[in-house]
Amino acid sequence: MSTVRLLADDELSPEARVVFDEIRALRRTDVVNNFWRALAHDPALMRRTWESVRDVMAPGALDPLTKELIYAAVSIANNCEYCIRSHTAAARAKGMTEAQYMELVAVVAAASQTNRLATALQVPVDEAFKAVP
Amino acid sequence: MSTVRLLADDELSPEARVVFDEIRALRRTDVVNNFWRALAHDPALMRRTWESVRDVMAPGALDPLTKELIYAAVSIANNCEYCIRSHTAAARAKGMTEAQYMELVAVVAAASQTNRLATALQVPVDEAFKAVP
Amino acid sequence: MSTVRLLADDELSPEARVVFDEIRALRRTDVVNNFWRALAHDPALMRRTWESVRDVMAPGALDPLTKELIYAAVSIANNCEYCIRSHTAAARAKGMTEAQYMELVAVVAAASQTNRLATALQVPVDEAFKAVP
Amino acid sequence: MSTVRLLADDELSPEARVVFDEIRALRRTDVVNNFWRALAHDPALMRRTWESVRDVMAPGALDPLTKELIYAAVSIANNCEYCIRSHTAAARAKGMTEAQYMELVAVVAAASQTNRLATALQVPVDEAFKAVP
Amino acid sequence: MSTVRLLADDELSPEARVVFDEIRALRRTDVVNNFWRALAHDPALMRRTWESVRDVMAPGALDPLTKELIYAAVSIANNCEYCIRSHTAAARAKGMTEAQYMELVAVVAAASQTNRLATALQVPVDEAFKAVP
Amino acid sequence: MSTVRLLADDELSPEARVVFDEIRALRRTDVVNNFWRALAHDPALMRRTWESVRDVMAPGALDPLTKELIYAAVSIANNCEYCIRSHTAAARAKGMTEAQYMELVAVVAAASQTNRLATALQVPVDEAFKAVP
């Protein structure tokens, strides 16, 4: 149960309805996830969030699957169950194989391990790593 | 300054020296980073960490650059300066362009934003996301 | 289910019972939340925690609702479900409107986004921000 | 030193220059902080971020100082030095007194303490906290 | 429900089966926890993780119970429910008393509180703390 | 540089001076760390924090060194540089050997790794771990 009610389609404000329509059109599905049904209480927040995610995840210098893998990895590091599950599902829908998934998980775990080692020992940054293009 | 002294080459135990040799051979450089010079105080920990990172980052179902991007993303989420700088440098060395880098950063930021929204509102996971292959 | 049993009123030690009485008196309700029923296993810890929260949340230079909003925001950032739900409920009880709640959530999300951007890019602190009164 | 160069005014792309102009106009100062000079490498990311922060922090159901306090609190919880310093400075500029600042810090510390207690003991959410308007 | 199916004994690959046998032999129990049944999808990851945990937790300069207390404390700070529950159970199995458990929880809470205070106020490290053996 | 000025002895309020005296008496040293010189701006917060840390860290069911190790481990997980350095120094002062320190660091790293694996895969808690004394 969320901290606000999840809004059904017939409870949406006109501004929220427009965003729902855009989500359905871009994703080519009638399903709108719980995440948007909670955000719909604040149409301005929902619109900002939707446009931001839509633009960031569009194909660019990185392909959509790579972006989805990064999104899932961050969600694991941030410990957000909803996000882990939704972006794992999204990555699978975009073609992530199970072998790729387990490797993603392995990289996240390895990074978490060395991150803590570097932090624990307060290792100073090597000069070579400070070079900026 | 780290919480333990960074060991110079002539201060290494024989076990630590062997790992340094492996790092130099695989990376084809004489430079061994500060991270390993701090870990060298515990050769067993250094060996475990080295083998783990080496195996996880080897080419597999995901290519090395994609893994490096994920590693950098997790390091940002975990807020580890050493790791952010070393893996940003490593990703650039593996061919990451500046446009790809800014997109990586944008995905991490977008994920952090929606992660907090889902957590704040305690959005329940959609049934569709619970399906497991 | 908690990792220790939640204590019922008739299972309390005398020291724990005194704290329960104080909680009931200050909050003007007979209900004592699960949080305190778990802490009651260690009356000294419960007393310290209760006095600390009571004093910190008392009216001062900041009003009680503002403090409650800050408490809820930190609980979201720390990803503590119990704390998110209890302090969201407490803020509503102190007069937080639904519009204020959605704005709170939006600020937390915006901060999480820019926090990660500043961390990712390791932006140096502007000199102007270092001035101290 | 940031992981990308901080751009000077005469290095900006036309799209980035427009955002700089908007920042200067809204904030009524000629100074544009390092944060934006790093983001300027990706004008689309800078524009999205600027519009998002500008709209979220505008007066609404919560007043600007309260929003700034929440922003600072989240930045502390997220451990972002740049963000802690810039939003502490911003809150002072918006009228935060030193007594209010120390109370803010005390609330963040109290929340972090009880957050960990609830998480450690895995306290189940009271039924009363699950009610949703 | 996990994001991958938990593997039953008769679904294990030969490599995974060998690790299961080692876990059973070392722990002197037939039970293999869900954690390993999820990791079994990637036998190399499972083997690396198992060997790492086994070696780190073996008696050394610190005794096994102290290590388990540290493991539980980190799991609380990292907010991992599975880890909190499994390592609290493991610590109890290794002799942790309930009084010790509540003290562990109190130390974690105190540390989280002072950690946030030091971070909020950006307290500079005393020269005396920078000395390294 | 901290976000508030560090107070010198002759700038303390009478209430803050009393706490400084208690710290000096208990620790048998004339040095009072920067942490307390920042907190001294809010004597009530300083007193609460001092009494809490003093009581939590006193000998009890766990010995002082074990508590200090747990404190340091949590500080690493929370990524607080001041806290990592001050509690590493404190643990060394209480007798922690360098071998114990490296093992502490190794346990923190192993826990961070398995914490992320359990979170990534959303492993359900085994029934056996839910038993409560």
Side-chain angles (χ1 to χ4, degrees):
Chain A
M1 193 172 13
S2 45
T3 61
V4 293
R5 268 195 331 104
L6 300 179
L7 297 185
D9 282 17
D10 59 6
E11 298 175 299
L12 299 172
S13 67
E15 299 88 338
R17 180 176 304 277
V18 173
V19 181
F20 268 50
D21 288 345
E22 291 179 28
I23 294 174
R24 285 180 163 123
L26 190 81
R27 300 198 167 165
R28 302 183 189 196
T29 168
D30 199 50
V31 178
V32 176
N33 301 333
N34 289 344
F35 180 72
W36 304 110
R37 296 183 182 282
L39 282 190
H41 286 273
D42 184 340
L45 172 60
M46 178 170 61
R47 170 157 291 287
R48 264 199 314 275
T49 307
W50 162 244
E51 291 182 351
S52 172
V53 171
R54 180 197 63 197
D55 291 355
V56 168
M57 300 305 279
L62 295 173
D63 64 282
L65 177 55
T66 299
K67 289 186 173 181
E68 202 67 50
L69 296 175
I70 293 167
Y71 213 113
V74 171
S75 300
I76 296 167
N78 281 341
N79 210 350
C80 172
E81 182 185 353
Y82 185 88
C83 316
I84 292 169
R85 290 193 182 278
S86 57
H87 288 280
T88 299
R92 282 170 169 151
K94 288 180 180 169
M96 179 181 72
T97 66
E98 291 312 291
Q100 287 177 321
Y101 178 50
M102 292 306 288
E103 284 197 11
L104 164 72
V105 167
V107 175
V108 174
S112 297
Q113 179 188 36
T114 59
N115 281 193
R116 290 306 186 226
L117 289 171
T119 298
L121 299 170
Q122 293 286 305
V123 183
V125 179
D126 298 74
E127 284 308 310
F129 295 150
K130 296 183 179 167
V132 170
Chain B
M1 190 171 14
S2 46
T3 61
V4 293
R5 270 196 329 104
L6 300 179
L7 296 185
D9 283 17
D10 59 5
E11 298 174 299
L12 300 172
S13 67
E15 299 89 338
R17 181 176 302 277
V18 174
V19 182
F20 268 50
D21 289 345
E22 291 179 30
I23 294 174
R24 285 180 164 123
L26 191 79
R27 300 198 166 167
R28 299 182 192 196
T29 168
D30 200 49
V31 178
V32 176
N33 301 331
N34 290 344
F35 180 72
W36 303 110
R37 295 184 183 283
L39 282 190
H41 287 274
D42 184 341
L45 172 60
M46 179 171 61
R47 171 156 291 289
R48 264 199 314 273
T49 306
W50 162 244
E51 291 183 350
S52 172
V53 171
R54 180 197 63 197
D55 292 355
V56 168
M57 299 305 278
L62 296 172
D63 64 280
L65 177 54
T66 299
K67 289 186 173 182
E68 202 67 51
L69 296 175
I70 294 167
Y71 214 114
V74 171
S75 300
I76 296 167
N78 281 341
N79 211 350
C80 171
E81 181 185 353
Y82 186 88
C83 316
I84 292 169
R85 290 192 181 279
S86 58
H87 289 280
T88 299
R92 281 170 169 153
K94 287 180 180 170
M96 178 182 71
T97 65
E98 292 310 292
Q100 287 177 321
Y101 178 50
M102 293 306 288
E103 285 197 9
L104 165 71
V105 167
V107 175
V108 173
S112 297
Q113 179 188 36
T114 58
N115 282 193
R116 289 307 186 226
L117 289 170
T119 298
L121 300 170
Q122 293 286 307
V123 183
V125 179
D126 298 74
E127 285 308 310
F129 295 150
K130 296 183 179 166
V132 169
Chain C
M1 192 171 15
S2 45
T3 62
V4 292
R5 270 195 329 104
L6 300 178
L7 296 186
D9 283 16
D10 60 5
E11 297 175 301
L12 299 172
S13 67
E15 300 89 338
R17 180 176 303 277
V18 174
V19 181
F20 268 50
D21 289 345
E22 292 178 28
I23 294 173
R24 285 181 163 121
L26 190 81
R27 299 197 167 166
R28 301 182 191 197
T29 168
D30 199 51
V31 178
V32 177
N33 302 332
N34 289 343
F35 180 71
W36 304 111
R37 295 183 183 283
L39 282 190
H41 286 274
D42 184 340
L45 173 59
M46 179 171 60
R47 171 156 290 289
R48 263 200 314 273
T49 307
W50 162 244
E51 292 183 350
S52 172
V53 171
R54 181 197 63 195
D55 293 355
V56 169
M57 299 305 279
L62 296 172
D63 64 280
L65 177 54
T66 299
K67 288 185 174 182
E68 202 68 50
L69 296 176
I70 294 168
Y71 214 113
V74 172
S75 300
I76 296 167
N78 280 341
N79 211 348
C80 173
E81 182 186 352
Y82 186 88
C83 317
I84 292 169
R85 290 193 181 279
S86 57
H87 289 280
T88 299
R92 282 171 168 151
K94 288 181 180 169
M96 178 181 73
T97 65
E98 291 310 291
Q100 287 177 321
Y101 178 50
M102 292 307 287
E103 283 197 11
L104 165 71
V105 167
V107 175
V108 174
S112 297
Q113 179 188 35
T114 59
N115 282 192
R116 290 306 186 228
L117 289 171
T119 297
L121 299 170
Q122 293 286 306
V123 183
V125 178
D126 296 74
E127 284 307 311
F129 295 151
K130 294 183 180 167
V132 169
Chain D
M1 191 172 13
S2 46
T3 61
V4 292
R5 270 194 331 104
L6 300 178
L7 296 185
D9 283 16
D10 59 5
E11 297 175 300
L12 299 172
S13 67
E15 299 88 339
R17 181 175 302 276
V18 173
V19 181
F20 268 50
D21 289 344
E22 291 179 29
I23 294 175
R24 285 181 163 121
L26 190 80
R27 300 197 167 166
R28 299 181 193 196
T29 167
D30 200 50
V31 177
V32 176
N33 301 331
N34 289 343
F35 180 71
W36 304 110
R37 295 183 183 284
L39 282 189
H41 286 275
D42 184 339
L45 172 60
M46 179 172 59
R47 171 156 289 291
R48 264 200 314 273
T49 306
W50 161 245
E51 292 183 350
S52 171
V53 172
R54 180 197 63 196
D55 292 354
V56 168
M57 300 305 279
L62 296 173
D63 64 279
L65 177 55
T66 299
K67 288 186 173 181
E68 202 67 49
L69 297 176
I70 294 167
Y71 213 112
V74 171
S75 300
I76 296 167
N78 280 341
N79 210 350
C80 172
E81 182 186 350
Y82 186 88
C83 317
I84 292 169
R85 290 192 182 279
S86 57
H87 289 281
T88 299
R92 281 171 169 153
K94 288 181 181 170
M96 178 181 73
T97 66
E98 291 310 291
Q100 288 177 321
Y101 177 50
M102 292 307 287
E103 284 197 10
L104 165 72
V105 167
V107 174
V108 173
S112 297
Q113 180 188 33
T114 58
N115 282 192
R116 290 308 186 225
L117 289 170
T119 298
L121 299 171
Q122 294 285 306
V123 184
V125 179
D126 297 75
E127 285 307 311
F129 295 151
K130 294 183 179 167
V132 169
Chain E
M1 191 171 16
S2 46
T3 60
V4 292
R5 270 195 328 105
L6 300 178
L7 296 185
D9 283 18
D10 60 4
E11 296 175 301
L12 300 172
S13 67
E15 299 87 340
R17 180 176 303 277
V18 174
V19 182
F20 268 50
D21 289 345
E22 292 179 28
I23 294 174
R24 286 180 163 122
L26 190 80
R27 300 198 166 166
R28 299 180 191 198
T29 168
D30 199 49
V31 177
V32 177
N33 302 332
N34 289 345
F35 180 72
W36 304 110
R37 296 184 182 283
L39 282 189
H41 286 274
D42 184 339
L45 172 59
M46 179 171 61
R47 170 156 289 290
R48 264 199 314 274
T49 306
W50 162 244
E51 291 182 351
S52 173
V53 171
R54 181 197 63 197
D55 292 354
V56 168
M57 300 304 279
L62 296 172
D63 64 279
L65 177 54
T66 299
K67 288 186 173 181
E68 202 67 50
L69 296 176
I70 294 168
Y71 214 113
V74 171
S75 300
I76 296 167
N78 280 342
N79 209 351
C80 173
E81 182 185 351
Y82 186 88
C83 317
I84 291 169
R85 290 193 182 279
S86 58
H87 288 280
T88 299
R92 281 170 169 154
K94 287 180 181 170
M96 180 181 71
T97 65
E98 291 309 292
Q100 287 176 321
Y101 178 50
M102 292 307 287
E103 284 197 10
L104 165 71
V105 167
V107 175
V108 174
S112 297
Q113 179 189 34
T114 58
N115 282 192
R116 290 307 186 225
L117 289 171
T119 298
L121 299 170
Q122 293 286 306
V123 184
V125 179
D126 297 75
E127 285 306 311
F129 295 150
K130 295 183 178 165
V132 170
Chain F
M1 192 171 14
S2 45
T3 61
V4 293
R5 268 195 332 104
L6 300 178
L7 296 186
D9 282 17
D10 59 6
E11 296 175 300
L12 300 172
S13 67
E15 300 88 339
R17 181 176 303 277
V18 174
V19 181
F20 268 50
D21 288 345
E22 291 179 28
I23 294 174
R24 286 182 164 120
L26 190 81
R27 299 198 167 166
R28 302 184 189 195
T29 168
D30 199 52
V31 178
V32 177
N33 301 333
N34 289 344
F35 180 71
W36 304 111
R37 295 183 183 283
L39 281 189
H41 286 274
D42 183 341
L45 172 61
M46 179 171 60
R47 171 157 291 287
R48 264 200 314 275
T49 306
W50 162 244
E51 290 182 351
S52 171
V53 171
R54 180 197 63 196
D55 292 355
V56 168
M57 299 306 278
L62 295 173
D63 64 279
L65 177 54
T66 299
K67 288 186 173 181
E68 202 66 51
L69 297 175
I70 294 167
Y71 213 113
V74 171
S75 300
I76 296 166
N78 281 341
N79 210 350
C80 173
E81 182 186 352
Y82 186 88
C83 317
I84 291 169
R85 289 192 182 278
S86 58
H87 289 281
T88 299
R92 280 170 169 152
K94 287 180 181 171
M96 178 181 74
T97 65
E98 291 310 291
Q100 287 177 321
Y101 178 50
M102 293 306 287
E103 284 197 11
L104 165 71
V105 167
V107 175
V108 173
S112 297
Q113 180 188 34
T114 58
N115 281 194
R116 290 306 185 228
L117 289 170
T119 298
L121 300 170
Q122 293 285 306
V123 183
V125 179
D126 297 75
E127 284 307 310
F129 295 151
K130 296 183 179 166
V132 170

